[in-house]
Amino acid sequence: MSHAVSPDQYAQAAQEALSKLSPEERAAFVKMLQDRAAASGVTLPDKVAPEPKDLGEVLTDLHEKPGQLRDMLGGGAVQPQAQASGSSPITDILSSPIAKAVLAGIAAMVVKRVMGQRA
């Protein structure tokens, strides 16, 4: 569904979802995103600001490569050795309330936009 909207619409949905988090939650999400990117071999900008606009742009860039954001955050990311036993990327992301809030928020905003275009 998220590929049914333009990159601009996705970025706006991401920014809206991220703006609902506290600055501390966004900072924790940035840290998790950086850790996941490093574990997956994905290059992020040198400095990822925990501001909704900047972070939304980073998520949009990741989203533009089909499956990259999903794989990095839960569907097949490379696991660091320390996590190899008893943990998986999908359970790690689902156990993170911040990650769930961001991804669910983006999905909700995308659905809202797609439904709004059809009305």
Side-chain angles (χ1 to χ4, degrees), residues 3 5 8 10 14 30-31 38 40 51 55 57 59 63 75 82 85 88-89 92 97 101 103 107 110 115:
H3 287 283
V5 296
D8 288 341
Y10 185 89
V30 167
K31 171 77 171 101
S40 300
E51 298 305 315
L55 189 50
E57 289 172 3
L59 292 178
H63 173 75
S85 63
S88 73
D92 289 349
L103 296 177
V110 165
M115 297 307 286

Side-chain angles (χ1 to χ4, degrees), residues 4-64:
V5 296
S6 72
D8 288 341
Q9 290 173 313
Y10 185 89
Q12 191 173 20
Q15 289 171 27
E16 284 182 46
L18 291 161
S19 71
K20 296 183 184 312
L21 299 177
S22 71
E24 294 79 17
E25 290 169 326
R26 285 193 304 272
F29 183 72
V30 167
K31 171 77 171 101
M32 185 186 68
L33 190 64
Q34 290 169 326
D35 291 347
R36 288 284 176 187
S40 300
V42 174
T43 303
L44 294 179
D46 289 336
K47 178 77 172 138
V48 178
E51 298 305 315
K53 183 175 183 342
D54 296 335
L55 189 50
E57 289 172 3
V58 170
L59 292 178
T60 301
D61 289 345
L62 291 169
H63 173 75
E64 286 182 1

Side-chain angles (χ1 to χ4, degrees), residues 89-110:
I90 193 70
T91 55
D92 289 349
I93 196 70
L94 293 177
S95 68
S96 168
I98 296 168
K100 283 194 291 190
V102 170
L103 296 177
I106 292 171
M109 299 299 173
V110 165

